[in-house]
Amino acid sequence: NAGVTQTPKFQVLKTGQSMTLQCAQDMNHNSMYWYRQDPGMGLRLIYYSASEGTTDKGEVPNGYNVSRLNKREFSLRLESAAPSQTSVYFCASSDQGRITGELFFGEGSRLTVL
Amino acid sequence: DQQVKQNSPSLSVQEGRISILNCDYTNSMFDYFLWYKKYPAEGPTFLISISSIKDKNEDGRFTVFLNKSAKHLSLHIVPSQPGDSAVYFCAARGVWGKLQFGAGTQVVVTP
């Protein structure tokens, strides 16, 4: 019963390096999201994908790109990492048919940019 | 511009007593409000929700109250248990079903 799976769980980068965070869900959800969590800021939406083939910017998209590879997978890419991108990243998915629209989250990926 | 605010970063409560977590919002178009619970090194998990057309929703030890005129909601946990020690996030659903989250409240339940 995997739910939402994120990889890697931990990563240390140097400024200017690139990396991709991977996310996969096995709940057949249409919508997927990437959030970042920072102290005192809560969870902020980076990008989301309402359905396969579509992606849209959230509150804090600068410095990130995303790819909705198929219905299951949604990746987040940092092209040139900056220290301000040090954060914990969460992938989430939702079934838009559920009236409350609740999100199901992965366990998170802790990224440190030196 | 944060539209969902949790002004108390932390709350300490004795086991068996009531925990009250507060959340304020500014956007009157939010149609659902949700509470999530988060343990360290885990992702947030859904706890309870309430529709904007209701003023109370109860699920076991957890009750959420909504005061639309004040744009305020609260989560009551009765009785509080050690396993309730976690960070609690308030969230509100807006346009296109996107959730906006508050900053979270760290709850510590002491014996």
Side-chain angles (χ1 to χ4, degrees), chain A residues 35-45 59-60, chain B residues 1-8 23-28 30 71 88-92 99-105:
Chain A
Y35 283 87
R36 60 179 286 175
Q37 183 195 3
D38 302 291
M41 303 293 289
L43 293 153
R44 292 182 294 169
L45 182 63
E59 302 171 62
V60 288
Chain B
D1 178 30
Q2 269 198 304
Q3 298 185 42
V4 179
K5 295 181 181 178
Q6 294 176 256
N7 292 318
S8 297
C23 179
D24 296 296
Y25 62 95
T26 57
N27 188 343
S28 57
F30 289 140
K71 293 190 177 65
Y88 291 79
F89 290 101
C90 170
L99 295 186
Q100 292 200 32
F101 287 82
T105 297

mmCIF file of all heavy atoms in Angstrom, chain A residues 35-45 59-60, chain B residues 1-8 23-28 30 71 88-92 99-105:
data_model
loop_
_atom_site.group_PDB
_atom_site.id
_atom_site.type_symbol
_atom_site.label_atom_id
_atom_site.label_comp_id
_atom_site.label_asym_id
_atom_site.label_seq_id
_atom_site.Cartn_x
_atom_site.Cartn_y
_atom_site.Cartn_z
ATOM 1 N N TYR A 35 4.870 20.712 -3.084
ATOM 2 C CA TYR A 35 4.901 21.748 -2.056
ATOM 3 C C TYR A 35 6.309 21.795 -1.462
ATOM 4 O O TYR A 35 7.048 20.821 -1.462
ATOM 5 C CB TYR A 35 3.932 21.422 -0.916
ATOM 6 C CG TYR A 35 2.478 21.678 -1.211
ATOM 7 C CD1 TYR A 35 1.685 20.715 -1.821
ATOM 8 C CD2 TYR A 35 1.882 22.884 -0.847
ATOM 9 C CE1 TYR A 35 0.347 20.942 -2.069
ATOM 10 C CE2 TYR A 35 0.533 23.126 -1.092
ATOM 11 C CZ TYR A 35 -0.225 22.150 -1.693
ATOM 12 O OH TYR A 35 -1.549 22.383 -1.944
ATOM 13 N N ARG A 36 6.631 22.945 -0.886
ATOM 14 C CA ARG A 36 7.814 23.043 -0.051
ATOM 15 C C ARG A 36 7.401 23.502 1.334
ATOM 16 O O ARG A 36 6.449 24.289 1.482
ATOM 17 C CB ARG A 36 8.876 23.955 -0.652
ATOM 18 C CG ARG A 36 8.488 25.394 -0.890
ATOM 19 C CD ARG A 36 9.655 26.198 -1.466
ATOM 20 N NE ARG A 36 10.679 26.483 -0.453
ATOM 21 C CZ ARG A 36 11.836 27.082 -0.697
ATOM 22 N NH1 ARG A 36 12.132 27.464 -1.934
ATOM 23 N NH2 ARG A 36 12.704 27.299 0.275
ATOM 24 N N GLN A 37 8.091 22.991 2.335
ATOM 25 C CA GLN A 37 7.803 23.371 3.701
ATOM 26 C C GLN A 37 9.017 24.054 4.302
ATOM 27 O O GLN A 37 10.110 23.483 4.331
ATOM 28 C CB GLN A 37 7.449 22.164 4.567
ATOM 29 C CG GLN A 37 7.061 22.548 5.987
ATOM 30 C CD GLN A 37 7.053 21.394 6.958
ATOM 31 O OE1 GLN A 37 7.379 20.266 6.629
ATOM 32 N NE2 GLN A 37 6.664 21.663 8.194
ATOM 33 N N ASP A 38 8.816 25.254 4.783
ATOM 34 C CA ASP A 38 9.867 26.018 5.424
ATOM 35 C C ASP A 38 9.379 26.486 6.791
ATOM 36 O O ASP A 38 8.189 26.754 6.952
ATOM 37 C CB ASP A 38 10.247 27.233 4.569
ATOM 38 C CG ASP A 38 10.700 26.819 3.185
ATOM 39 O OD1 ASP A 38 11.786 26.217 3.093
ATOM 40 O OD2 ASP A 38 9.979 27.063 2.207
ATOM 41 N N PRO A 39 10.287 26.603 7.756
ATOM 42 C CA PRO A 39 9.878 27.020 9.117
ATOM 43 C C PRO A 39 9.124 28.347 9.080
ATOM 44 O O PRO A 39 9.572 29.313 8.459
ATOM 45 C CB PRO A 39 11.222 27.166 9.840
ATOM 46 C CG PRO A 39 12.149 26.261 9.111
ATOM 47 C CD PRO A 39 11.727 26.323 7.669
ATOM 48 N N GLY A 40 7.986 28.375 9.763
ATOM 49 C CA GLY A 40 7.194 29.594 9.852
ATOM 50 C C GLY A 40 6.408 29.937 8.611
ATOM 51 O O GLY A 40 5.669 30.933 8.588
ATOM 52 N N MET A 41 6.549 29.116 7.563
ATOM 53 C CA MET A 41 5.869 29.424 6.288
ATOM 54 C C MET A 41 4.820 28.395 5.930
ATOM 55 O O MET A 41 4.073 28.559 4.977
ATOM 56 C CB MET A 41 6.900 29.500 5.157
ATOM 57 C CG MET A 41 7.993 30.501 5.376
ATOM 58 S SD MET A 41 7.389 32.185 5.347
ATOM 59 C CE MET A 41 7.010 32.380 3.628
ATOM 60 N N GLY A 42 4.782 27.323 6.632
ATOM 61 C CA GLY A 42 3.825 26.275 6.281
ATOM 62 C C GLY A 42 4.196 25.586 4.985
ATOM 63 O O GLY A 42 5.370 25.520 4.598
ATOM 64 N N LEU A 43 3.193 25.098 4.289
ATOM 65 C CA LEU A 43 3.379 24.410 3.015
ATOM 66 C C LEU A 43 2.987 25.374 1.897
ATOM 67 O O LEU A 43 1.875 25.894 1.879
ATOM 68 C CB LEU A 43 2.508 23.162 2.953
ATOM 69 C CG LEU A 43 2.898 22.054 3.928
ATOM 70 C CD1 LEU A 43 1.701 21.197 4.275
ATOM 71 C CD2 LEU A 43 3.986 21.199 3.321
ATOM 72 N N ARG A 44 3.902 25.572 0.976
ATOM 73 C CA ARG A 44 3.628 26.474 -0.140
ATOM 74 C C ARG A 44 3.683 25.714 -1.447
ATOM 75 O O ARG A 44 4.617 24.939 -1.680
ATOM 76 C CB ARG A 44 4.621 27.635 -0.146
ATOM 77 C CG ARG A 44 4.453 28.593 1.033
ATOM 78 C CD ARG A 44 5.436 29.739 0.952
ATOM 79 N NE ARG A 44 6.815 29.288 1.109
ATOM 80 C CZ ARG A 44 7.877 30.044 0.869
ATOM 81 N NH1 ARG A 44 7.730 31.281 0.431
ATOM 82 N NH2 ARG A 44 9.099 29.559 1.060
ATOM 83 N N LEU A 45 2.697 25.962 -2.294
ATOM 84 C CA LEU A 45 2.564 25.231 -3.546
ATOM 85 C C LEU A 45 3.555 25.748 -4.578
ATOM 86 O O LEU A 45 3.603 26.945 -4.866
ATOM 87 C CB LEU A 45 1.131 25.367 -4.066
ATOM 88 C CG LEU A 45 0.786 24.629 -5.344
ATOM 89 C CD1 LEU A 45 0.916 23.120 -5.152
ATOM 90 C CD2 LEU A 45 -0.632 24.983 -5.792
ATOM 91 N N GLU A 59 2.287 29.064 -5.943
ATOM 92 C CA GLU A 59 2.686 30.322 -5.300
ATOM 93 C C GLU A 59 4.149 30.664 -5.503
ATOM 94 O O GLU A 59 4.527 31.835 -5.584
ATOM 95 C CB GLU A 59 2.473 30.225 -3.782
ATOM 96 C CG GLU A 59 1.065 29.924 -3.317
ATOM 97 C CD GLU A 59 1.069 29.637 -1.833
ATOM 98 O OE1 GLU A 59 1.442 30.535 -1.050
ATOM 99 O OE2 GLU A 59 0.734 28.494 -1.452
ATOM 100 N N VAL A 60 5.029 29.643 -5.517
ATOM 101 C CA VAL A 60 6.476 29.880 -5.517
ATOM 102 C C VAL A 60 7.179 29.071 -6.607
ATOM 103 O O VAL A 60 8.016 28.219 -6.318
ATOM 104 C CB VAL A 60 7.078 29.576 -4.124
ATOM 105 C CG1 VAL A 60 6.679 30.646 -3.127
ATOM 106 C CG2 VAL A 60 6.665 28.193 -3.635
ATOM 107 N N ASP B 1 1.260 36.961 0.254
ATOM 108 C CA ASP B 1 0.145 37.344 1.116
ATOM 109 C C ASP B 1 -0.537 36.078 1.619
ATOM 110 O O ASP B 1 -1.260 35.413 0.882
ATOM 111 C CB ASP B 1 -0.852 38.207 0.331
ATOM 112 C CG ASP B 1 -2.041 38.584 1.179
ATOM 113 O OD1 ASP B 1 -1.861 38.710 2.414
ATOM 114 O OD2 ASP B 1 -3.136 38.737 0.637
ATOM 115 N N GLN B 2 -0.287 35.754 2.895
ATOM 116 C CA GLN B 2 -0.842 34.524 3.438
ATOM 117 C C GLN B 2 -2.311 34.703 3.735
ATOM 118 O O GLN B 2 -2.698 35.587 4.523
ATOM 119 C CB GLN B 2 -0.089 34.130 4.719
ATOM 120 C CG GLN B 2 1.083 33.209 4.470
ATOM 121 C CD GLN B 2 1.533 32.507 5.736
ATOM 122 O OE1 GLN B 2 1.839 33.161 6.719
ATOM 123 N NE2 GLN B 2 1.577 31.194 5.729
ATOM 124 N N GLN B 3 -3.145 33.882 3.127
ATOM 125 C CA GLN B 3 -4.571 33.976 3.325
ATOM 126 C C GLN B 3 -5.059 33.052 4.428
ATOM 127 O O GLN B 3 -6.228 33.125 4.817
ATOM 128 C CB GLN B 3 -5.300 33.646 2.015
ATOM 129 C CG GLN B 3 -4.964 34.620 0.892
ATOM 130 C CD GLN B 3 -5.786 34.342 -0.355
ATOM 131 O OE1 GLN B 3 -6.978 34.070 -0.296
ATOM 132 N NE2 GLN B 3 -5.124 34.391 -1.494
ATOM 133 N N VAL B 4 -4.194 32.178 4.902
ATOM 134 C CA VAL B 4 -4.529 31.279 5.997
ATOM 135 C C VAL B 4 -3.448 31.444 7.064
ATOM 136 O O VAL B 4 -2.269 31.265 6.777
ATOM 137 C CB VAL B 4 -4.586 29.816 5.519
ATOM 138 C CG1 VAL B 4 -4.921 28.889 6.683
ATOM 139 C CG2 VAL B 4 -5.610 29.658 4.396
ATOM 140 N N LYS B 5 -3.886 31.787 8.266
ATOM 141 C CA LYS B 5 -2.907 32.095 9.309
ATOM 142 C C LYS B 5 -3.161 31.284 10.573
ATOM 143 O O LYS B 5 -4.290 31.198 11.048
ATOM 144 C CB LYS B 5 -2.941 33.577 9.646
ATOM 145 C CG LYS B 5 -2.518 34.468 8.497
ATOM 146 C CD LYS B 5 -2.550 35.930 8.884
ATOM 147 C CE LYS B 5 -2.131 36.783 7.698
ATOM 148 N NZ LYS B 5 -2.192 38.231 8.005
ATOM 149 N N GLN B 6 -2.090 30.710 11.088
ATOM 150 C CA GLN B 6 -2.126 30.084 12.394
ATOM 151 C C GLN B 6 -1.158 30.872 13.248
ATOM 152 O O GLN B 6 0.053 30.797 13.061
ATOM 153 C CB GLN B 6 -1.700 28.609 12.295
ATOM 154 C CG GLN B 6 -2.675 27.754 11.504
ATOM 155 C CD GLN B 6 -2.178 26.328 11.352
ATOM 156 O OE1 GLN B 6 -1.705 25.966 10.287
ATOM 157 N NE2 GLN B 6 -2.308 25.540 12.401
ATOM 158 N N ASN B 7 -1.689 31.652 14.150
ATOM 159 C CA ASN B 7 -0.863 32.616 14.871
ATOM 160 C C ASN B 7 -0.130 32.030 16.063
ATOM 161 O O ASN B 7 0.743 32.690 16.632
ATOM 162 C CB ASN B 7 -1.722 33.802 15.303
ATOM 163 C CG ASN B 7 -2.186 34.605 14.106
ATOM 164 O OD1 ASN B 7 -1.430 34.847 13.175
ATOM 165 N ND2 ASN B 7 -3.450 35.022 14.124
ATOM 166 N N SER B 8 -0.484 30.814 16.455
ATOM 167 C CA SER B 8 0.208 30.185 17.576
ATOM 168 C C SER B 8 1.155 29.123 17.045
ATOM 169 O O SER B 8 0.716 28.079 16.594
ATOM 170 C CB SER B 8 -0.796 29.546 18.531
ATOM 171 O OG SER B 8 -1.643 30.509 19.090
ATOM 172 N N CYS B 23 -7.211 29.001 13.733
ATOM 173 C CA CYS B 23 -6.828 29.307 12.356
ATOM 174 C C CYS B 23 -7.715 30.445 11.855
ATOM 175 O O CYS B 23 -8.937 30.416 12.075
ATOM 176 C CB CYS B 23 -7.008 28.056 11.502
ATOM 177 S SG CYS B 23 -6.611 28.243 9.758
ATOM 178 N N ASP B 24 -7.125 31.434 11.223
ATOM 179 C CA ASP B 24 -7.872 32.544 10.639
ATOM 180 C C ASP B 24 -7.612 32.605 9.138
ATOM 181 O O ASP B 24 -6.521 32.251 8.680
ATOM 182 C CB ASP B 24 -7.437 33.870 11.288
ATOM 183 C CG ASP B 24 -7.763 33.911 12.761
ATOM 184 O OD1 ASP B 24 -8.955 33.868 13.097
ATOM 185 O OD2 ASP B 24 -6.812 33.953 13.569
ATOM 186 N N TYR B 25 -8.598 33.081 8.404
ATOM 187 C CA TYR B 25 -8.427 33.180 6.958
ATOM 188 C C TYR B 25 -9.008 34.500 6.476
ATOM 189 O O TYR B 25 -9.792 35.146 7.174
ATOM 190 C CB TYR B 25 -9.063 31.986 6.236
ATOM 191 C CG TYR B 25 -10.560 31.860 6.413
ATOM 192 C CD1 TYR B 25 -11.453 32.385 5.476
ATOM 193 C CD2 TYR B 25 -11.093 31.200 7.522
ATOM 194 C CE1 TYR B 25 -12.812 32.259 5.633
ATOM 195 C CE2 TYR B 25 -12.454 31.069 7.687
ATOM 196 C CZ TYR B 25 -13.313 31.598 6.744
ATOM 197 O OH TYR B 25 -14.669 31.479 6.896
ATOM 198 N N THR B 26 -8.598 34.890 5.279
ATOM 199 C CA THR B 26 -9.031 36.192 4.764
ATOM 200 C C THR B 26 -9.919 36.085 3.529
ATOM 201 O O THR B 26 -10.644 37.030 3.219
ATOM 202 C CB THR B 26 -7.819 37.064 4.416
ATOM 203 O OG1 THR B 26 -7.004 36.368 3.461
ATOM 204 C CG2 THR B 26 -6.988 37.365 5.662
ATOM 205 N N ASN B 27 -9.887 34.952 2.845
ATOM 206 C CA ASN B 27 -10.605 34.814 1.580
ATOM 207 C C ASN B 27 -11.980 34.189 1.820
ATOM 208 O O ASN B 27 -12.086 33.020 2.177
ATOM 209 C CB ASN B 27 -9.784 33.950 0.624
ATOM 210 C CG ASN B 27 -10.357 33.897 -0.771
ATOM 211 O OD1 ASN B 27 -11.517 34.239 -1.006
ATOM 212 N ND2 ASN B 27 -9.549 33.472 -1.716
ATOM 213 N N SER B 28 -13.036 34.938 1.564
ATOM 214 C CA SER B 28 -14.386 34.430 1.814
ATOM 215 C C SER B 28 -14.842 33.418 0.757
ATOM 216 O O SER B 28 -15.907 32.828 0.881
ATOM 217 C CB SER B 28 -15.372 35.594 1.864
ATOM 218 O OG SER B 28 -15.313 36.319 0.656
ATOM 219 N N PHE B 30 -13.185 30.630 0.056
ATOM 220 C CA PHE B 30 -12.793 29.263 0.417
ATOM 221 C C PHE B 30 -14.053 28.440 0.679
ATOM 222 O O PHE B 30 -14.972 28.909 1.371
ATOM 223 C CB PHE B 30 -11.918 29.257 1.670
ATOM 224 C CG PHE B 30 -10.536 29.805 1.460
ATOM 225 C CD1 PHE B 30 -9.950 30.608 2.437
ATOM 226 C CD2 PHE B 30 -9.800 29.496 0.328
ATOM 227 C CE1 PHE B 30 -8.669 31.113 2.267
ATOM 228 C CE2 PHE B 30 -8.521 29.995 0.150
ATOM 229 C CZ PHE B 30 -7.957 30.802 1.115
ATOM 230 N N LYS B 71 -14.380 34.638 10.069
ATOM 231 C CA LYS B 71 -13.351 33.995 9.238
ATOM 232 C C LYS B 71 -12.346 33.271 10.142
ATOM 233 O O LYS B 71 -11.115 33.476 10.059
ATOM 234 C CB LYS B 71 -12.654 34.998 8.325
ATOM 235 C CG LYS B 71 -13.555 35.579 7.239
ATOM 236 C CD LYS B 71 -12.733 36.374 6.218
ATOM 237 C CE LYS B 71 -13.581 36.899 5.089
ATOM 238 N NZ LYS B 71 -14.572 37.901 5.519
ATOM 239 N N TYR B 88 0.211 20.566 13.503
ATOM 240 C CA TYR B 88 -1.104 20.595 12.883
ATOM 241 C C TYR B 88 -1.189 21.774 11.925
ATOM 242 O O TYR B 88 -0.911 22.918 12.292
ATOM 243 C CB TYR B 88 -2.199 20.713 13.956
ATOM 244 C CG TYR B 88 -2.322 19.459 14.777
ATOM 245 C CD1 TYR B 88 -1.410 19.198 15.805
ATOM 246 C CD2 TYR B 88 -3.323 18.522 14.529
ATOM 247 C CE1 TYR B 88 -1.497 18.028 16.556
ATOM 248 C CE2 TYR B 88 -3.419 17.359 15.273
ATOM 249 C CZ TYR B 88 -2.496 17.127 16.276
ATOM 250 O OH TYR B 88 -2.584 15.970 17.014
ATOM 251 N N PHE B 89 -1.581 21.459 10.691
ATOM 252 C CA PHE B 89 -1.730 22.484 9.673
ATOM 253 C C PHE B 89 -3.206 22.689 9.363
ATOM 254 O O PHE B 89 -3.955 21.726 9.143
ATOM 255 C CB PHE B 89 -1.025 22.072 8.376
ATOM 256 C CG PHE B 89 0.470 22.063 8.451
ATOM 257 C CD1 PHE B 89 1.161 20.872 8.605
ATOM 258 C CD2 PHE B 89 1.187 23.242 8.356
ATOM 259 C CE1 PHE B 89 2.548 20.854 8.672
ATOM 260 C CE2 PHE B 89 2.574 23.236 8.414
ATOM 261 C CZ PHE B 89 3.252 22.046 8.581
ATOM 262 N N CYS B 90 -3.602 23.929 9.315
ATOM 263 C CA CYS B 90 -4.906 24.317 8.825
ATOM 264 C C CYS B 90 -4.769 24.578 7.322
ATOM 265 O O CYS B 90 -3.747 25.123 6.881
ATOM 266 C CB CYS B 90 -5.325 25.581 9.566
ATOM 267 S SG CYS B 90 -6.786 26.398 8.941
ATOM 268 N N ALA B 91 -5.766 24.180 6.540
ATOM 269 C CA ALA B 91 -5.725 24.420 5.098
ATOM 270 C C ALA B 91 -7.111 24.832 4.625
ATOM 271 O O ALA B 91 -8.128 24.427 5.201
ATOM 272 C CB ALA B 91 -5.267 23.162 4.358
ATOM 273 N N ALA B 92 -7.142 25.629 3.574
ATOM 274 C CA ALA B 92 -8.408 26.087 3.005
ATOM 275 C C ALA B 92 -8.391 25.851 1.499
ATOM 276 O O ALA B 92 -7.368 26.065 0.836
ATOM 277 C CB ALA B 92 -8.612 27.568 3.305
ATOM 278 N N LEU B 99 -5.263 23.866 -2.306
ATOM 279 C CA LEU B 99 -5.248 24.120 -0.876
ATOM 280 C C LEU B 99 -4.191 25.156 -0.523
ATOM 281 O O LEU B 99 -3.074 25.119 -1.036
ATOM 282 C CB LEU B 99 -4.958 22.836 -0.100
ATOM 283 C CG LEU B 99 -5.987 21.716 -0.170
ATOM 284 C CD1 LEU B 99 -5.596 20.590 0.779
ATOM 285 C CD2 LEU B 99 -7.377 22.221 0.135
ATOM 286 N N GLN B 100 -4.561 26.059 0.374
ATOM 287 C CA GLN B 100 -3.583 26.978 0.960
ATOM 288 C C GLN B 100 -3.447 26.611 2.429
ATOM 289 O O GLN B 100 -4.444 26.407 3.119
ATOM 290 C CB GLN B 100 -4.047 28.423 0.812
ATOM 291 C CG GLN B 100 -4.045 28.894 -0.631
ATOM 292 C CD GLN B 100 -4.024 30.405 -0.747
ATOM 293 O OE1 GLN B 100 -3.442 31.087 0.095
ATOM 294 N NE2 GLN B 100 -4.657 30.935 -1.775
ATOM 295 N N PHE B 101 -2.204 26.562 2.887
ATOM 296 C CA PHE B 101 -1.904 26.084 4.225
ATOM 297 C C PHE B 101 -1.457 27.219 5.141
ATOM 298 O O PHE B 101 -0.820 28.182 4.707
ATOM 299 C CB PHE B 101 -0.801 25.031 4.181
ATOM 300 C CG PHE B 101 -1.234 23.707 3.623
ATOM 301 C CD1 PHE B 101 -1.286 23.507 2.256
ATOM 302 C CD2 PHE B 101 -1.588 22.668 4.465
ATOM 303 C CE1 PHE B 101 -1.695 22.281 1.731
ATOM 304 C CE2 PHE B 101 -1.991 21.446 3.955
ATOM 305 C CZ PHE B 101 -2.047 21.245 2.589
ATOM 306 N N GLY B 102 -1.782 27.049 6.419
ATOM 307 C CA GLY B 102 -1.213 27.909 7.429
ATOM 308 C C GLY B 102 0.197 27.442 7.783
ATOM 309 O O GLY B 102 0.675 26.433 7.268
ATOM 310 N N ALA B 103 0.843 28.178 8.689
ATOM 311 C CA ALA B 103 2.235 27.899 9.042
ATOM 312 C C ALA B 103 2.388 26.710 9.971
ATOM 313 O O ALA B 103 3.493 26.193 10.140
ATOM 314 C CB ALA B 103 2.877 29.136 9.659
ATOM 315 N N GLY B 104 1.287 26.275 10.580
ATOM 316 C CA GLY B 104 1.340 25.117 11.456
ATOM 317 C C GLY B 104 1.448 25.484 12.927
ATOM 318 O O GLY B 104 1.955 26.554 13.284
ATOM 319 N N THR B 105 0.940 24.598 13.774
ATOM 320 C CA THR B 105 1.052 24.727 15.231
ATOM 321 C C THR B 105 1.625 23.433 15.775
ATOM 322 O O THR B 105 1.078 22.351 15.524
ATOM 323 C CB THR B 105 -0.322 24.994 15.881
ATOM 324 O OG1 THR B 105 -0.841 26.232 15.418
ATOM 325 C CG2 THR B 105 -0.189 25.032 17.407
#
